[in-house]
Amino acid sequence: MSTETWKKVDEYFTKKLHEPESIMDNVLKSNEEAGLPSIDVSPNQGKLLNLLVQMKGATKILEIGTLGGYSTIWMARALPENGKLITLEYAEKHADVARKNIEHAGISDKVEIMVGAALDSLPVLEERGEKDFDFIFIDADKPNNPHYLEWALKLSKPGTVIIGDNVVRDGKVVDEDTEDAVIKGVQSFIDLLSRNPHIDSTAIQTVGSKGYDGFVLGIVK
Ligand code: SAM
């Protein structure tokens, strides 16, 4: 099976199952125009996040890794009127693009972007008393994934859904001899999950427009 086929099938499902909506397409366009890397979730993955937020009935979401706000907007659009999403982004430029995209999507009142290294922003969130998130999406620098998981657990409550993106990485996750800090970060993340009695999780491999990858999905006990 080729990457070409995965792409075609991804496009097929997007066309068939998504409302034709310019809002989400415009986000990708504006990211491209601003020169952001095309490392956002795919449209089908974005819609999956949107559906999961609805299934969970989440009102409070934390995202680590905003980029241009593509996944942010997919998730925030599933929030109810009183819902809130806080997203953490290191790069000022990415945050600026995301801010504009969020404004164009008409959901600025629901979304707060915190600019800076997530490991600096997370303690600030704790100090502000921002905890008990219903839904946490981890999608930033993978070497820090183990730290992000610890913070996610700290800021969660029983029933919180935690999702970590890009855990398969072309199958490299099973390479025990890897020296790659990204893969090692993912492996430590999975090890922590496997040892932690407070979260029940699984991982799903995916193929599509973003190649061969996957995500981890867990629920806090
Ligand atoms: N979630 C986004 C989406 O699907 O549209 C994609 C996020 S992209 C894979 C990862 C983002 O994390 C980048 O914008 C990068 O600048 C940001 N990032 C990297 N290191 C970070 C850190 N230490 N703290 C916060 N954000 C970081």
Side-chain angles (χ1 to χ4, degrees):
M1 197 70 61
S2 70
T3 316
E4 240 355 271
T5 311
W6 298 344
K7 274 188 190 157
K8 268 191 204 152
V9 173
D10 227 0
E11 279 162 20
Y12 169 80
F13 285 128
T14 303
K15 258 198 204 130
K16 288 277 180 189
L17 302 176
H18 296 198
E19 305 268 324
E21 25 184 0
S22 53
I23 289 182
M24 298 316 302
D25 295 342
N26 286 343
V27 174
L28 294 181
K29 248 187 242 157
S30 96
N31 288 357
E32 194 182 344
E33 280 163 17
L36 263 52
S38 171
I39 51 173
D40 8 50
V41 294
S42 70
N44 278 307
Q45 290 161 349
K47 179 87 183 267
L48 174 66
L49 288 170
N50 177 288
L51 293 174
L52 288 170
V53 168
Q54 292 187 61
M55 286 173 196
K56 169 67 191 154
T59 59
K60 206 169 169 193
I61 302 175
L62 172 65
E63 176 180 58
I64 307 178
T66 319
L67 190 66
Y70 188 65
S71 54
T72 317
I73 296 170
W74 269 118
M75 291 187 286
R77 291 177 80 206
L79 282 169
E81 220 29 65
N82 62 341
K84 180 161 189 198
L85 185 154
I86 299 177
T87 183
L88 315 182
E89 173 55 52
Y90 178 72
E92 190 82 54
K93 179 182 168 182
H94 296 181
D96 285 346
V97 176
R99 209 169 285 116
K100 280 189 198 118
N101 287 334
I102 288 160
E103 214 174 287
H104 285 149
I107 48 170
S108 299
D109 53 331
K110 288 187 184 156
V111 181
E112 176 185 348
I113 305 176
M114 287 179 78
V115 184
L119 287 179
D120 294 335
S121 301
L122 287 160
V124 175
L125 273 185
E126 189 186 31
E127 267 167 38
R128 266 173 43 182
E130 298 279 10
K131 55 186 173 132
D132 292 346
F133 287 93
D134 303 301
F135 197 95
I136 302 178
F137 181 48
I138 302 173
D139 190 21
D141 49 330
K142 310 308 172 196
N144 274 323
N145 265 9
H147 301 300
Y148 296 150
L149 177 61
E150 276 163 20
W151 272 104
L153 288 165
K154 214 185 259 191
L155 302 178
S156 66
K157 60 185 175 184
T160 299
V161 171
I162 299 180
I163 298 183
D165 202 14
N166 309 120
V167 298
V168 173
R169 312 203 74 94
D170 264 322
K172 294 189 191 105
V173 67
V174 295
D175 179 0
E176 287 174 4
D177 302 321
T178 188
E179 290 302 327
D180 183 329
V182 169
I183 311 293
K184 282 179 150 185
V186 172
Q187 290 170 337
S188 309
F189 178 51
I190 303 297
D191 285 344
L192 270 183
L193 281 168
S194 76
R195 285 199 302 268
N196 195 310
H198 302 299
I199 182 161
D200 201 8
S201 52
T202 190
I204 298 294
Q205 302 180 65
T206 56
V207 292
S209 57
K210 302 281 167 166
Y212 171 40
D213 213 329
F215 60 90
V216 132
L217 172 84
I219 185 158
V220 176
K221 291 192 212 165

